[in-house]
Amino acid sequence: MPSASATTPSLERRRERRVPVKLPMLVRGTDRSGESFEEMTSSENLCRGGAAFTTRYAVYLGMKIEISIPPSASAAEPETEFSTHGRIVHLKPGRSDREVIVGVEFTGPRFHRMFISESTT
């Protein structure tokens, strides 16, 4: 998999502050070679209009993906699964050579679940 470099151009125009929080995410898309993929990962951070997560797949700027975030077991009120579509707007190297950190702008429904930053707990 070709890895992103720190100089990868970005389409990102962040409008909201992202909150560092780890939530499980199911990501679906089609990689650079045209192969469909489905990957269970977790968020690095979230805001109402987007998310960042790690992937091991060869993705690219502008790529469209599907994202699902299951309900939280610790929620005080009942939640439903959050599902939306997104567009990759940022890529940067991950913690290993096999990972890329992906920034996605939601192009479908926005995230409205309340959560607490893990950096404040």
Side-chain angles (χ1 to χ4, degrees):
M1 171 178 101
S3 66
S5 71
T7 60
T8 299
S10 172
L11 299 173
E12 181 176 30
R13 304 288 178 263
R14 191 172 295 172
R15 294 175 192 95
E16 302 170 277
R17 189 175 142 263
R18 294 208 175 172
V19 178
V21 63
K22 293 245 186 243
L23 293 177
M25 297 176 72
L26 177 63
V27 179
R28 292 184 191 98
T30 303
D31 68 14
R32 245 184 226 287
S33 65
E35 294 292 319
S36 295
F37 70 88
E38 181 174 288
E39 179 179 35
M40 229 16 231
T41 185
S42 63
S43 62
E44 296 285 317
N45 59 60
L46 285 166
C47 69
R48 296 198 189 289
F53 60 90
T54 58
T55 185
R56 57 188 171 86
Y57 287 93
V59 296
Y60 52 91
L61 289 174
M63 178 178 162
K64 294 179 178 17
I65 60 170
E66 296 176 37
I67 297 171
S68 298
I69 300 174
S72 170
S74 63
E77 296 181 25
E79 298 174 345
T80 58
E81 178 176 273
F82 171 73
S83 293
T84 193
H85 292 90
R87 178 177 61 97
I88 295 177
V89 294
H90 184 79
L91 297 170
K92 72 178 188 178
R95 292 174 207 61
S96 74
D97 292 343
R98 297 186 56 156
E99 283 185 338
V100 176
I101 298 174
V102 177
V104 172
E105 174 184 43
F106 297 151
T107 57
R110 294 168 49 93
F111 192 72
H112 292 288
R113 192 180 301 167
M114 296 298 294
F115 48 86
I116 299 170
S117 168
E118 292 181 350
S119 63
T120 61
T121 56

